[in-house]
Amino acid sequence: MQHPIGIFDSGYGGLTILEEIRQKLPQYDYLYLGDNARTPYGMRSFEIVYEFTLQAVNKLFQEGCRLVILACNTASAKALRTIQQNDLPKMNEYRRVLGVIRPTIESIGSLTQTNHVGILGTPGTIQSESYVLETEKLYPYIQVIGEACPMWVALVENGEYDQPGADYFVKKHIDTILEKDPEIDTLILGCTHYPLLEEKIKKYLPDNINLVSQGVYVAASLADYLQRHPEMDRLCSKNGTVRFYTTESEEKFKDMAAIFFRDEIVVNRINLV
Ligand code: DGL
C-alpha cells in the first residue's frame, strides 16, 4: 500500500500549496482531497468546519496517508487544534496532521520592517483571530490587522478570478485594509485560494508593500518537519505520484487542476461521511 502525504482543502485553493510542496519535495507521493461539493467553508461555524475537516482527514488516513496537511487556513484555524488534541491521541497508529497558519506566521518576522502586517482571509479565519494570537506568541511587537474577503473564494471556485468583475471585490478589500492601517508593509494571503487572484491584487497594491503567498513557507516547513521526524519520513512512500479526490464532479476538477498540472490527472469522486 502507498502512503501518500494527504493534502486537504475545502476546494481548489490547496492546489496552490500542493504545487509548492511538490516543487520542493517531488519524491513523495501525494493524495489531494478537495471538498468542492461543500465549499466554501469560510462562513461556516466552528462545529461544521471541524466536522467536515475531520471527515476529510479520516478519509485520507483510510486511504493510506500517515501525514495530512490542512492546506486551508479556515480548517487550520477552526479544526486543527481539536483534531491534534482530541482525535489523534485516540488513534491506535502513528498519524499526524499539520496546518498552514504556523509556518506562515514564522515567516513574517523577517519580512516586515514597520512591524505592521495585514492578513487577508476568509471571515472564519479572520474572526478566529488565529493569526493575531499566534503572532502575539512569536512576535509580540508585530501588529496584525485582518480583513475578511467573503467573495474571493467564490470568485476562484467559480473560475471568475481573472475576469473583470473580480476587480471590484479585490480593490474594495485592499483599500479597506490599507485604510485600517496605513503602516502595513507586508500583506499575507491568508487563504490558499487567494494566490489565484495575485495578479489583480498587485494591480491595486502600492509597490512598496510585500505581497506574501504562503505556499513556499508551508513547503519549507514541511521539508523541515520531515527532516526532524525521520520516523514519519520513513512512513511516507516516495514514488513521485499525485492523485486527486473531489466530492464534486471529476470533470470540473480536471478543468481547474489544468491551471496547475499540464499532464492529464487522475481524479476520483468520493463522498465524505
Ligand atoms: N482555501 C481555504 C482557506 O485557506 C478557503 C476556504 C473556504 O472558504 O472554503 O481558508
Side-chain angles (χ1 to χ4, degrees):
M1 189 180 197
Q2 283 209 348
H3 299 297
I5 295 175
I7 310 281
F8 167 68
D9 183 45
S10 63
Y12 300 119
L15 294 171
T16 64
I17 302 287
L18 174 64
E19 195 195 15
E20 296 290 348
I21 290 178
R22 279 189 79 215
Q23 269 184 39
K24 178 105 188 151
L25 302 164
Q27 68 274 34
Y28 292 86
D29 295 311
Y30 297 97
L31 177 55
Y32 183 92
L33 198 169
D35 190 8
N36 301 83
R38 301 189 294 195
T39 196
Y41 282 13
M43 317 284 259
R44 296 186 189 272
S45 65
F46 267 86
E47 292 73 20
I48 295 293
V49 173
Y50 164 65
E51 188 186 314
F52 287 1
T53 304
L54 184 60
Q55 288 171 355
V57 165
N58 281 333
K59 176 74 184 168
L60 288 164
F61 285 157
Q62 275 165 25
E63 295 298 310
C65 300
R66 298 290 182 262
L67 174 64
V68 171
I69 311 296
L70 302 185
C72 174
N73 290 266
T74 311
S76 299
K78 292 188 160 190
L80 178 62
R81 183 160 307 169
T82 315
I83 291 175
Q84 286 175 333
Q85 291 178 354
N86 294 356
D87 298 291
L88 294 183
K90 290 185 206 143
M91 294 179 191
N92 294 331
E93 287 156 299
Y94 185 51
R95 303 274 187 275
R96 287 290 177 270
V97 181
L98 304 173
V100 289
I101 294 181
R102 179 80 187 197
T104 307
I105 290 174
E106 281 170 0
S107 72
I108 64 180
S110 59
L111 297 173
T112 177
Q113 304 289 317
T114 61
N115 295 329
H116 288 246
V117 172
I119 304 284
L120 301 167
T122 66
T125 298
I126 300 303
Q127 278 155 20
S128 75
E129 300 234 296
S130 298
Y131 274 93
V132 176
L133 300 171
E134 287 291 320
T135 305
E136 263 167 23
K137 286 186 213 155
L138 281 184
Y139 310 109
Y141 51 89
I142 294 181
Q143 202 167 320
V144 174
I145 314 297
E147 168 72 1
C149 312
M151 294 298 288
W152 288 16
V153 168
L155 292 169
V156 173
E157 288 290 315
N158 292 290
E160 294 287 332
Y161 59 93
D162 55 355
Q163 297 300 303
D167 283 71
Y168 169 81
F169 292 103
V170 168
K171 182 174 186 313
K172 176 178 164 167
H173 293 295
I174 298 295
D175 289 351
T176 308
I177 194 164
L178 296 181
E179 269 162 36
K180 281 185 192 168
D181 184 351
E183 288 187 65
I184 287 171
D185 69 349
T186 303
L187 191 58
I188 310 276
L189 300 182
C191 170
T192 56
H193 282 68
Y194 295 177
L196 285 155
L197 288 158
E198 200 167 318
E199 222 168 277
K200 290 209 188 283
I201 296 169
K202 280 187 177 149
K203 195 165 140 188
Y204 298 107
L205 197 65
D207 290 341
N208 60 329
I209 298 182
N210 277 326
L211 186 61
V212 178
S213 287
Q214 52 194 169
V216 282
Y217 301 104
V218 174
S221 167
L222 176 60
D224 179 57
Y225 176 86
L226 290 166
Q227 211 169 18
R228 286 185 293 108
H229 294 86
E231 72 291 357
M232 174 54 81
D233 186 58
R234 273 194 296 276
L235 287 177
C236 298
S237 57
K238 299 171 189 75
N239 305 295
T241 66
V242 57
R243 288 182 297 130
F244 300 86
Y245 283 162
T246 175
T247 53
E248 242 284 353
S249 128
E250 293 169 2
E251 288 315 310
K252 275 206 242 170
F253 193 93
K254 276 187 187 169
D255 286 350
M256 194 69 181
I259 298 171
F260 299 93
F261 300 92
R262 253 172 275 134
D263 303 332
E264 179 79 354
I265 62 159
V266 182
V267 50
N268 291 106
R269 184 170 174 272
I270 52 140
N271 286 319
L272 288 177
V273 280

